[in-house]
Amino acid sequence: LESFHGRQLRLSPHVLGHSKAQVGRVVAELVGAAKAQGLQPGPLALSLRGDFVCVGSAYEQHKVRSPDGFDILVPLRLPPRLAPQPRCAEGAGGAFLCGLRATGLEGPAGFCLELRGRSHLSSGLVLRWFQGHLQRCLGAVRYRLRERCRISLSACPGHLPVLRILPRSDYVCCHISMAVRLIPAIPLGDALYLTALPPDGPQGSEALWGLNTSRQEQRLLGWLKERAPAASCHLKCLQILKGLRDLRGQGLEEPLGSQWGRVLSSYVLKTALFSLLLQGPLEAWDERFLVERLEDLVLYLRDCLRKQVLMHFFLGNASVPEAVPLPRFLKEAAPVNLLAAFDGATLDLVAFQLISTWIQAPHVIRMYSSPRYLPPVPTP
């Protein structure tokens, strides 16, 4: 496991730091240009707020394999006197509907869907507008950055736009093609955002949004780092489990192959880790107990899958440490089961394969780390 982590999963902090800095500069240029182009929106129009939020594993110290993929939230500004009213969508595994409260004017009709006689902001319609808006701004940004890097924007219908960056640099370590997912986000206040769901989300995702709690997760990770041993292995456990999941997924047949990564998403794995960390003494997560803690995490996930229950860590969870302040919206929200969108048969199959993968971990690492099974390099 140590060799697998060191050779295939661990990233160079130097290279990752260069990549994050390059991404920050390019995204700042693009978002600034997109905001400037929409400085005088109509009373029913959307616009960009002008900032962006770095989220995900690259900014939480548990990214694996290569520093070539990043997630960036791009906050949007709703029309004046219009406020979002989110509510949880039943049976959608933590997805939300975004109702709108208007004062003195109607909602932005071009971006809304009618559900049960009420107007809701559509993530699908907002995503299509967002893609087109960024595409229109790309030319000027590409010209300004032509000596620093080559950039392009992939904006397939129904998918999050992906900004591709190929730096022009004298440093060999910086010649890495990077893909940046740009995620339109509706600010809720208190560092909470509704985000457009990916295309493989729950059925009817045209009206559904995800809830992003990255700021709260980063605060919790910081709180854990202060109290865990200096050589804590909790993030390494998460990286190894993500690596084993990715390798095992290479050899699974359909339909389980496509469900495997959705059930064991990185967010589900991180939620399970958070829950397990708060159950026992943090001293038990010292580096020398890596295998024991990793097995505990696998068995905890197995039990959750069999019971078909893994609760969202922040929504309605009274066990979050008081030292990690939570917005009122999270404290008062109803608890949400992240596995509610999957049927029992699928969860049982995933639980069986998860235990099998752990028992056969050395074989899985040797078998699926060969060039035959590694995922193909994406075409620029």
Side-chain angles (χ1 to χ4, degrees):
L1 292 174
E2 286 283 5
S3 175
F4 173 52
H5 180 266
R7 290 173 178 268
Q8 297 191 40
L9 302 179
R10 183 181 178 276
L11 296 175
S12 161
H14 171 77
V15 176
L16 183 59
H18 270 287
S19 298
K20 290 194 291 188
Q22 184 78 261
V23 166
R25 286 193 293 265
V26 175
V27 172
E29 289 276 359
L30 181 58
V31 169
K35 180 190 178 185
Q37 193 177 90
L39 279 178
Q40 295 179 335
L44 305 182
L46 294 173
S47 60
L48 269 64
R49 202 170 66 179
D51 58 339
F52 60 93
V53 183
C54 303
V55 299
S57 58
Y59 302 93
E60 296 173 358
Q61 314 307 317
H62 55 85
K63 185 170 175 56
V64 297
R65 297 202 182 279
S66 59
D68 58 356
F70 299 86
D71 285 343
I72 302 289
L73 300 186
V74 182
L76 306 181
R77 192 187 302 278
L78 290 174
R81 295 178 288 172
L82 196 65
Q85 288 188 313
R87 61 184 177 88
C88 192
E90 296 181 7
F96 280 75
L97 294 168
C98 183
L100 295 169
R101 183 178 73 249
T103 304
L105 51 77
E106 296 298 322
F111 300 101
C112 288
L113 295 174
E114 290 294 325
L115 297 174
R116 298 179 182 177
R118 188 180 172 193
S119 184
H120 290 78
L121 196 63
S122 164
S123 62
L125 295 175
V126 169
L127 181 57
R128 284 194 281 277
W129 168 84
F130 181 69
Q131 290 171 336
H133 192 54
L134 292 183
Q135 282 282 18
R136 288 190 291 273
C137 302
L138 188 65
V141 175
R142 183 187 286 130
Y143 180 77
R144 287 203 296 266
L145 297 174
R146 65 190 183 281
E147 295 182 359
R148 181 184 298 170
C149 59
R150 292 203 303 260
I151 62 173
S152 62
L153 189 69
S154 302
C156 301
H159 290 249
L160 294 170
V162 176
L163 180 67
R164 300 194 180 276
I165 306 170
L166 182 61
R168 306 177 190 270
S169 172
D170 295 332
Y171 297 99
V172 175
C173 68
C174 299
H175 287 178
I176 298 173
S177 178
M178 291 165 283
V180 185
R181 287 201 314 169
L182 299 173
I183 308 169
I186 304 298
L188 301 179
D190 295 318
L192 286 175
Y193 299 90
L194 291 180
T195 58
L197 285 173
D200 58 352
Q203 292 297 318
S205 60
E206 185 80 6
L208 297 179
W209 298 79
L211 180 67
N212 185 279
T213 57
S214 292
R215 182 65 61 84
Q216 288 70 35
E217 292 160 25
Q218 291 167 4
R219 288 172 181 163
L220 179 62
L221 285 169
W223 182 85
L224 290 167
K225 184 177 180 180
E226 291 175 357
R227 286 155 182 78
S232 177
C233 65
H234 61 283
L235 292 182
K236 184 183 286 188
C237 284
L238 181 57
Q239 290 176 309
I240 292 174
L241 189 54
K242 288 199 290 186
L244 289 173
R245 173 204 62 190
D246 294 344
L247 289 185
R248 189 68 188 94
Q250 300 294 326
L252 293 177
E253 297 181 355
E254 295 299 338
L256 182 59
S258 59
Q259 294 278 24
W260 172 258
R262 288 184 57 208
V263 174
L264 297 180
S265 67
S266 295
Y267 192 76
V268 163
L269 300 186
K270 185 164 64 170
T271 299
L273 176 67
F274 284 160
S275 302
L276 193 60
L277 278 165
L278 295 187
Q279 287 186 7
L282 291 177
E283 292 74 15
W285 290 85
D286 189 270
E287 182 94 34
R288 63 184 186 274
F289 304 124
L290 171 68
V291 175
E292 291 89 338
R293 297 293 78 78
L294 191 50
E295 182 166 278
D296 286 347
L297 182 55
V298 170
L299 294 176
Y300 179 81
L301 263 172
R302 187 271 314 269
D303 293 343
C304 291
L305 293 167
R306 286 180 173 176
K307 296 174 184 176
Q308 303 176 29
V309 174
L310 177 62
M311 303 309 293
H312 192 289
F313 190 79
F314 292 104
L315 285 168
N317 183 3
S319 65
V320 176
E322 292 185 2
V324 181
L326 293 184
R328 181 178 176 183
F329 176 81
L330 294 182
K331 291 181 179 179
E332 298 180 352
V336 168
N337 179 12
L338 297 179
L339 302 178
F342 304 100
D343 62 84
T346 297
L347 296 179
D348 285 342
L349 280 173
V350 171
F352 173 79
Q353 287 292 347
L354 177 64
I355 291 297
S356 175
T357 300
W358 173 244
I359 293 172
Q360 304 177 47
H363 171 73
V364 170
I365 292 170
R366 286 194 302 269
M367 176 74 175
Y368 296 108
S369 294
S370 66
R372 173 184 173 189
Y373 286 100
L374 290 177
V377 177
T379 303

